[in-house]
Amino acid sequence: MDSQHGEVPEVEHSRCIRPADVLITKIAPIRAAWVMPVHHRHPVDANCIILRGLDRSVAFWWLLWLNTAAFTDMLVRRSGAAVLPRLRLSVLRDLALPPPPAVLAPLAQEAWVALAALAEADTELMRLHGEVGTTVENEVARTSWNETASRYGAPTWCDWFSCELIDDSLVPVHVAANAQAETLHRDADWQRLPDLVFPTPSERLGETGQPVRTLRLSDVRRSFDLNIPDEPRSTSAGSRLYGRPLHAGDVLMSTLGSDPRVAWLADDPPAPVFAVDHWARLRFHDTPGAWALILATEPVARQIRLFTSGTAQQFIRAADLAHVFLPRFPHETLVRWERTLARVLRRRNDLHGQWRSVLHRARAIQQATLRRP
């Protein structure tokens, strides 16, 4: 869910979701989701199908099949060729699934409880993220940032800059970005990111000769949604991996400037994990969780996007983070944010473990159904 899904909807009709609905995407790859009581009743667009009024065991049974890649690929093929592969409602209507086994009923209840609790934890994280984002936006409003952003965001512009604002990049938008950052420091005493962190060691892992657990950009779909791989991966580019494994307190900032994401480790991973250098690895002097929340706000993302480079304007250099400025907050506020974030993330990790256990047992029942004569 995005922050907009945490807002109370202004409309209500039959296309609004309800608790226990099963939502199915029409466009491949097909995915299905279960609506929990904590979810607001937002309307669903025309690219989704709603299954409503199903018994809990039946709903869970449909979720298992509709999140099985081979099964959904078959449904798309039955729907016929198209420029944009999609699931036709007639194919879903004619689908005949075997009835859910009786042993699935207690698992369906476990799944409902685990997913409902996980949705509540996700909602709490979204609210915390929104609170921090609003607070940082209020700090931005005290500066002339928005004024300068409008000026330099115009199709054409001209300005004079102090030579101190020109570093190793002569790209006009990069120089303008330095000027905008200086307004944050001058108007509201924001502080440079490098002043808040320890120097990052430069050593790399090198060639290991065996698979290792790695953390790629794709392992964090959105900020704080960290998916540490269970199994080691073969790698032939040890020079792209940080030499030290991740530890509790590490803050990771993606160098994908067009879509910056942030991750924070509240605890040590159960096994050594090495991050690729598309992550900027930051060790804050204190309250790293609170600073991770601040880094994940839109005002910081706007600063980072100004430094994207290359033909596709996608990535930034890790060194460009030295030009990022962050607001000052009372220590008590930072401690409160970090404690809340740590509690929510640990709760989410526990619930993800419960859900994986339920899913593993449910998949075994599904496979046993396929093996029946």
Side-chain angles (χ1 to χ4, degrees):
M1 294 191 302
D2 298 323
S3 58
Q4 61 182 349
H5 298 125
E7 301 173 358
V8 178
E10 298 178 356
V11 297
E12 185 172 355
H13 49 74
S14 60
R15 289 291 295 176
C16 292
I17 62 173
R18 300 175 188 173
D21 282 354
V22 174
L23 300 183
I24 309 167
T25 59
K26 289 183 181 180
I27 299 175
I30 307 301
R31 296 182 299 274
W34 216 355
V35 180
M36 296 292 120
V38 73
H39 294 146
H40 289 299
R41 298 189 176 187
H42 288 281
V44 177
D45 68 23
N47 289 316
C48 289
I49 300 171
I50 302 176
L51 299 184
R52 180 167 292 161
L54 299 179
D55 176 79
R56 188 162 293 175
S57 295
V58 175
F60 186 47
W61 191 235
W62 276 84
L63 282 166
L64 287 174
W65 287 101
L66 291 171
N67 285 298
T68 301
F71 183 76
T72 55
D73 288 346
M74 178 267 293
L75 295 181
V76 172
R77 287 195 299 272
R78 285 187 180 181
S79 297
V83 175
L84 184 64
R86 57 190 295 125
L87 173 64
R88 285 170 37 210
L89 187 58
S90 60
V91 171
L92 192 64
R93 186 186 302 116
D94 297 338
L95 182 63
L97 284 181
V103 293
L104 192 71
L107 280 181
Q109 178 61 26
E110 285 187 54
W112 175 265
V113 172
L115 290 175
L118 190 56
E120 291 175 357
D122 286 341
T123 301
E124 186 176 3
L125 176 60
M126 188 166 52
R127 288 172 180 161
L128 175 63
H129 191 205
E131 174 194 340
V132 176
T134 300
T135 307
V136 175
E137 286 283 10
N138 292 339
E139 292 296 312
V140 173
R142 298 172 48 206
T143 72
S144 56
W145 168 276
N146 292 328
E147 176 187 341
T148 56
S150 299
R151 183 196 317 161
Y152 300 135
T156 59
W157 53 268
C158 177
D159 208 346
W160 293 93
F161 294 105
S162 169
C163 60
E164 287 81 7
L165 297 175
I166 304 175
D167 48 23
D168 58 346
S169 175
L170 295 178
V171 177
V173 69
H174 291 173
V175 180
N178 290 337
Q180 289 180 259
E182 284 297 328
T183 66
L184 299 174
H185 176 66
R186 183 186 66 247
D187 297 347
D189 196 27
W190 286 35
Q191 49 201 333
R192 291 181 182 272
L193 176 58
D195 296 339
L196 298 169
V197 299
F198 295 103
T200 302
S202 59
E203 66 264 24
R204 293 296 187 263
L205 182 64
E207 302 305 323
T208 63
Q210 57 186 1
V212 295
R213 287 180 175 82
T214 61
L215 188 73
R216 303 170 180 169
L217 291 183
S218 58
D219 294 324
V220 180
R221 292 174 297 176
R222 60 179 184 270
S223 290
F224 304 107
D225 192 1
L226 182 62
N227 182 28
I228 295 179
D230 295 325
E231 299 297 330
R233 293 165 169 160
S234 298
T235 178
S236 58
S239 60
R240 301 300 306 270
L241 299 175
Y242 287 104
R244 298 181 183 179
L246 297 174
H247 291 292
D250 281 350
V251 175
L252 301 174
M253 185 83 194
S254 73
T255 57
L256 182 61
S258 60
D259 181 24
R261 279 163 274 171
V262 179
W264 175 57
L265 280 76
D267 302 295
D268 284 332
V273 178
F274 298 86
V276 300
D277 59 6
H278 281 146
W279 291 105
R281 186 174 179 179
L282 307 172
R283 295 286 295 181
F284 283 85
H285 299 152
D286 58 15
T287 57
W291 290 114
L293 282 166
I294 294 169
L295 285 173
T297 60
E298 180 58 26
V300 176
R302 289 200 297 265
Q303 294 184 62
I304 292 172
R305 282 194 287 267
L306 293 173
F307 288 98
T308 55
S309 58
T311 305
Q313 296 287 295
Q314 291 287 315
F315 285 88
I316 65 168
R317 302 171 304 164
D320 291 329
L321 292 176
H323 302 290
V324 171
F325 281 76
L326 303 179
R328 300 178 187 270
F329 291 108
H331 184 69
E332 315 84 69
T333 300
L334 297 175
V335 170
R336 177 175 63 84
W337 285 344
E338 178 171 279
R339 287 177 178 172
T340 304
L341 179 61
R343 175 177 55 79
V344 173
L345 292 183
R346 287 170 181 144
R347 174 66 174 155
R348 289 173 80 243
N349 287 339
D350 291 343
L351 291 169
H352 274 298
Q354 295 177 29
W355 165 241
R356 284 194 295 267
S357 174
V358 172
L359 185 59
H360 177 74
R361 287 176 284 157
R363 290 294 188 194
I365 295 174
Q366 183 187 21
Q367 291 298 317
T369 303
L370 291 174
R371 289 193 293 268
R372 288 179 181 175

